[in-house]
Amino acid sequence: MPSKQKILIVDDDENIAELISLYLIKECYETRIVHDGESALQAFPAFSPDLILLDLMLPGIDGYQVCRELRRDTSVPIIMLSAKGEVFDKVLGLELGADDYIIKPFDSKELVARVKAVLRRSAKASPAAPEGSQGQYVEYPDLVVNLTNYSVVCMGRSVEMPPKELELLYFLASSPNQVFTREQLLDHIWGYEYAGDTRTVDVHIKRLREKLDDHPAWQLSTVWGIGYKFEVKR
């Protein structure tokens, strides 16, 4: 029998944390609850969760700092939970490496749906490519994006990135020179009706550009007023 996927719940409101845990246990996930940022950082190595639900307003180390610390060493999916619904707060969370952002109060069905969607896209849930097999990948000069084992090699070096960044890159690179609107990219990569706005795509494109070196043969291009494309220079 396959082991249950594990979710670390970080929220200083004990009632909310317990309620979230009940929702997830009902869906056959294993959960652990901690109530502050320091405890989250301590629990992470031992529990080794497949996903973290991270409240932003925590005593001591806040959720933003917890996310920043975790992103130094791991690409485990992180969903931020917050009563703050301003665009600035969402964008900041995404720029720090969160995979999704849910505004409190939230519907239990929406929470579970988002957890499932993020886990489906997580690198940890994806099987590694068999030895000697490239699997599902795209290749350009000095760039290989492998969706089977969630790896990116650019200019001969391995580039670490969260699942959604890699999937966005793979999707664009799989259709060179084709322009996609932000709405199309949200639909294809996130796979559900995203409650945020299209700025999410802009944030992920920005992070991809920061990680990939400029290359004379290809680039991530903005098509002003429309969206983005993976441009292959002829």
Side-chain angles (χ1 to χ4, degrees):
M1 180 181 295
S3 59
K4 294 181 179 180
Q5 290 179 296
K6 297 186 289 186
I7 300 176
L8 180 63
I9 301 166
V10 188
D11 199 311
D12 63 335
D13 188 316
E14 295 184 14
N15 292 328
I16 290 178
E18 290 291 346
L19 194 59
I20 292 172
S21 181
L22 287 175
Y23 295 150
L24 296 173
I25 290 172
K26 185 178 179 181
E27 296 293 327
C28 296
Y29 295 108
E30 180 182 348
T31 67
R32 178 174 297 182
I33 297 172
V34 295
H35 298 298
D36 59 78
E38 185 175 353
S39 297
L41 295 174
Q42 292 173 351
F44 176 78
F47 187 52
S48 187
D50 297 279
L51 181 144
I52 300 172
L53 288 172
L54 178 62
D55 185 36
L56 292 182
M57 304 303 291
L58 297 170
I61 305 173
D62 66 18
Y64 290 120
Q65 184 61 30
V66 171
C67 184
R68 187 181 293 112
E69 292 290 333
L70 289 171
R71 278 291 171 259
R72 291 176 181 174
D73 302 309
T74 179
S75 60
V76 64
I78 297 173
I79 299 178
M80 286 186 168
L81 308 175
S82 178
K84 296 182 177 181
E86 290 80 5
V87 171
F88 170 81
D89 298 298
K90 296 179 186 178
V91 171
L92 178 57
L94 293 169
E95 286 183 335
L96 290 174
D99 295 89
D100 203 350
Y101 190 107
I102 301 178
I103 300 171
K104 296 179 178 179
F106 46 78
D107 181 80
S108 61
K109 292 181 180 178
E110 179 188 3
L111 174 69
V112 171
R114 293 210 185 187
V115 166
K116 289 180 177 179
V118 170
L119 282 171
R120 280 197 303 269
R121 289 160 177 78
S122 70
K124 192 168 185 179
S126 300
E131 187 174 350
S133 171
Q134 288 293 332
Q136 195 174 2
Y137 73 102
V138 291
E139 184 172 2
Y140 294 94
D142 298 316
L143 178 68
V144 178
V145 185
N146 192 318
L147 193 63
T148 302
N149 61 11
Y150 275 68
S151 65
V152 176
V153 178
C154 181
M155 305 293 285
R157 63 182 177 85
S158 178
V159 181
E160 295 294 326
M161 57 181 63
K164 278 187 179 140
E165 286 181 30
L166 188 147
E167 289 164 9
L168 178 58
L169 176 61
Y170 177 84
F171 181 77
L172 289 169
S174 296
S175 301
N177 296 318
Q178 181 175 343
V179 180
F180 293 95
T181 66
R182 292 168 175 83
E183 290 79 8
Q184 287 175 319
L185 294 172
L186 278 173
D187 181 61
H188 280 284
I189 305 306
W190 278 257
Y192 55 87
E193 187 175 354
Y194 190 62
D197 54 58
T198 53
R199 183 73 184 275
T200 302
V201 176
D202 299 335
V203 170
H204 282 73
I205 291 289
K206 176 186 174 184
R207 295 204 318 235
L208 284 171
R209 285 171 171 161
E210 290 171 349
K211 293 176 181 179
L212 300 177
D213 298 322
D214 292 334
H215 198 279
W218 49 264
Q219 67 179 14
L220 286 169
S221 297
T222 301
V223 182
W224 296 108
I226 301 177
Y228 298 99
K229 67 178 179 178
F230 185 86
E231 182 178 357
V232 177
K233 302 171 186 178
R234 305 187 187 280

